[in-house]
């Protein structure tokens, strides 16, 4: 029985099929496998994965679409993380403010209130130190007068140095009623004392406009941001209002409205303290009564 030799056309078809199979495996199947691996990775949350197919055919178009989808998902996740971080920061701010308000409302001395306020502000902004200039306006529309400066610095600062500090860059904060943020080395304030690496300051004013202030936080790792400015403004303005209102309540509760002197309640409290002191040390106690 004779064997037939394949014709030329059969050989061409055979090699054509082999070539087609090679092309399919080399360019189509491999590309599909690449897209499958990348898509599964994106589905697992690895949204930084990308498909690198640069051909101008349908595979290239499909890979570009998948990459665009991955970028969009990655952007949404990033925005969601930012939103969660801001929400957590807001909750933390409100928690600290509520604790501070409750502490102030307990009727503590104004110095204790302000020092606690400074500590909470420093914790909130994660800064090294904080300080507040307190000014008082005696008459309406009069120039406010610098009365005190509270701070968390370890060094004691003479009031002359406080005035020098205030009359520098801080005075413009109050005059222009605008925050000040500097993220550069400012040197020592005052000289030979605390080194100021960066600073954020915002103006404060009481509801009756009699008390004014400037609160400043200094030396935060990485410097201060616009979000820090908003946080400091929102927190400190509310806290300052609570402090001034509480002190006004205490003043009205302990002061005679006609004379401006301590009222009967305060007199009796101080009288009991002095009587107890005279008993403890076996000393005489004298009382001088004057009709005013």
């Amino acid at each position: 029985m004779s064997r037939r030799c394949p014709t030329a056309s059969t050989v061409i078809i055979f090699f054509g099929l082999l070539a087609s199979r090679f092309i399919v495996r080399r360019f189509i199947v491999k590309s599909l496998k690449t897209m499958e691996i990348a898509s599964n990775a994106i589905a697992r949350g690895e949204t930084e994965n990308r498909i690198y197919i640069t051909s101008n055919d349908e595979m290239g178009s499909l890979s570009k679409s998948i990459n665009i989808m991955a970028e969009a998902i990655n952007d949404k996740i990033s925005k969601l993380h930012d939103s969660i971080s801001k929400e957590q920061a807001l909750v933390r701010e409100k928690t600290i403010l509520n604790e501070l308000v409750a502490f102030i409302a307990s009727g503590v001395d104004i110095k204790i209130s302000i020092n606690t306020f400074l500590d909470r502000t420093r914790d909130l902004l994660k800064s090294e130190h904080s300080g507040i200039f307190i000014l008082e306006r005696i008459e309406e529309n009069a120039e406010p007068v610098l009365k005190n400066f509270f701070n968390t610095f370890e060094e004691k600062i003479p009031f002359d140095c406080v005035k020098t500090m205030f009359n520098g860059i801080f005075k413009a904060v109050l005059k222009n009623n605008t925050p000040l943020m500097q993220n550069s080395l400012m040197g020592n304030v005052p000289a030979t004392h605390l080194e100021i690496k960066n600073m954020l300051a915002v103006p404060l004013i009481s509801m009756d406009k009699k008390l004014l202030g400037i609160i400043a936080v200094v030396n935060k790792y990485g410097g201060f941001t616009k979000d820090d400015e908003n946080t400091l403004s929102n927190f400190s303005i509310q806290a300052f209002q609570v402090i001034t209102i509480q002190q006004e309540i205490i003043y009205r509760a302990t002061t005679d409205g006609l004379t401006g002197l301590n009222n009967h309640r305060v007199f009796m409290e101080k009288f009991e303290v002095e009587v107890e002191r005279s008993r403890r040390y076996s000393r005489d106690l004298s009382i001088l009564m004057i009709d005013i």
Side-chain angles (χ1 to χ4, degrees):
M1 191 172 176
S2 61
R3 298 180 62 184
R4 288 177 132 190
C5 294
T7 62
S9 59
T10 305
V11 173
I12 292 172
I13 293 172
F14 175 75
F15 281 106
L17 290 173
L18 285 177
S20 299
R21 183 182 179 188
F22 173 79
I23 292 170
V24 169
R25 289 177 61 87
R26 177 69 177 82
F27 295 102
I28 298 178
V29 175
K30 185 178 180 181
S31 296
L32 289 173
K33 191 64 177 178
T34 301
M35 284 190 282
E36 180 188 4
I37 294 171
S39 300
N40 289 336
I42 293 170
R44 290 194 302 269
E46 300 171 14
T47 54
E48 295 81 8
N49 275 274
R50 298 293 181 268
I51 303 172
Y52 298 99
I53 298 176
T54 58
S55 60
N56 294 323
D57 55 9
E58 289 79 2
M59 290 297 176
S61 298
L62 183 59
S63 67
K64 288 179 182 178
S65 298
I66 294 175
N67 287 340
I68 291 172
M69 179 188 68
E71 289 174 5
I73 293 173
N74 199 43
D75 183 60
K76 293 292 184 183
I77 291 174
S78 178
K79 288 180 179 178
L80 182 60
H81 285 163
D82 289 342
S83 178
I84 292 172
S85 296
K86 289 181 180 179
E87 187 67 26
Q88 288 174 339
L90 184 61
V91 170
R92 181 169 176 265
E93 176 187 338
K94 293 300 181 183
T95 301
I96 294 175
L97 180 62
N98 290 338
E99 291 175 352
L100 178 62
V101 169
F103 180 75
I104 294 170
S106 64
V108 295
D109 180 76
I110 186 169
K111 290 183 178 180
I112 298 175
S113 294
I114 291 177
N115 284 326
T116 305
F117 167 42
L118 289 178
D119 286 336
R120 296 296 177 270
T121 304
R122 180 180 58 180
D123 294 341
L124 180 66
L125 274 295
K126 299 179 182 178
S127 62
E128 187 177 339
H129 289 291
S130 59
I132 183 170
F133 298 91
I134 301 292
L135 298 93
E136 185 177 1
R137 183 182 280 127
I138 307 301
E139 297 179 1
E140 189 176 355
N141 299 323
E143 190 73 16
V145 179
L146 182 63
K147 290 292 185 180
N148 216 325
F149 177 65
F150 298 87
N151 61 84
T152 61
F153 306 155
E154 295 177 0
E155 305 91 347
K156 273 196 170 184
I157 303 178
F159 200 66
D160 288 342
C161 292
V162 173
K163 288 182 178 178
T164 302
M165 290 167 58
F166 174 76
N167 289 323
I169 58 175
F170 290 106
K171 194 167 186 178
V173 175
L174 198 62
K175 183 179 179 181
N176 302 327
N177 195 34
T178 54
L180 171 69
M181 181 167 57
Q182 291 193 348
N183 285 320
S184 57
L185 185 64
M186 299 174 59
N188 298 329
V189 181
T192 73
H193 285 264
L194 177 69
E195 184 181 57
I196 305 296
K197 303 179 185 70
N198 45 58
M199 181 193 67
L200 175 62
V202 298
L204 303 170
I205 185 169
S206 64
M207 293 183 68
D208 59 8
K209 299 182 180 180
K210 290 182 179 179
L211 279 180
L212 300 92
I214 299 172
I215 185 164
V217 286
V218 299
N219 297 353
K220 178 183 178 180
Y221 179 77
F224 294 98
T225 65
K226 187 66 178 179
D227 286 341
D228 292 329
E229 180 184 310
N230 294 334
T231 297
L232 180 61
S233 294
N234 294 334
F235 178 81
S236 58
I237 288 173
Q238 293 180 75
F240 190 69
Q241 297 299 337
V242 172
I243 290 173
T244 53
I245 291 172
Q246 179 66 15
Q247 293 309 307
E248 180 67 19
I249 292 172
I250 293 174
Y251 175 80
R252 291 180 180 276
T254 59
T255 306
D256 178 70
L258 181 62
T259 63
L261 302 174
N262 289 337
N263 60 18
H264 179 264
R265 172 189 168 190
V266 178
F267 169 78
M268 292 306 298
E269 288 176 353
K270 292 184 179 295
F271 180 66
E272 290 175 4
V273 170
E274 294 303 322
V275 168
E276 181 60 31
R277 193 198 311 274
S278 67
R279 287 174 178 167
R280 188 183 314 123
Y281 297 105
S282 300
R283 294 177 179 174
D284 294 334
L285 176 65
S286 300
I287 301 176
L288 179 63
M289 302 183 68
I290 302 174
D291 185 358
I292 59 172

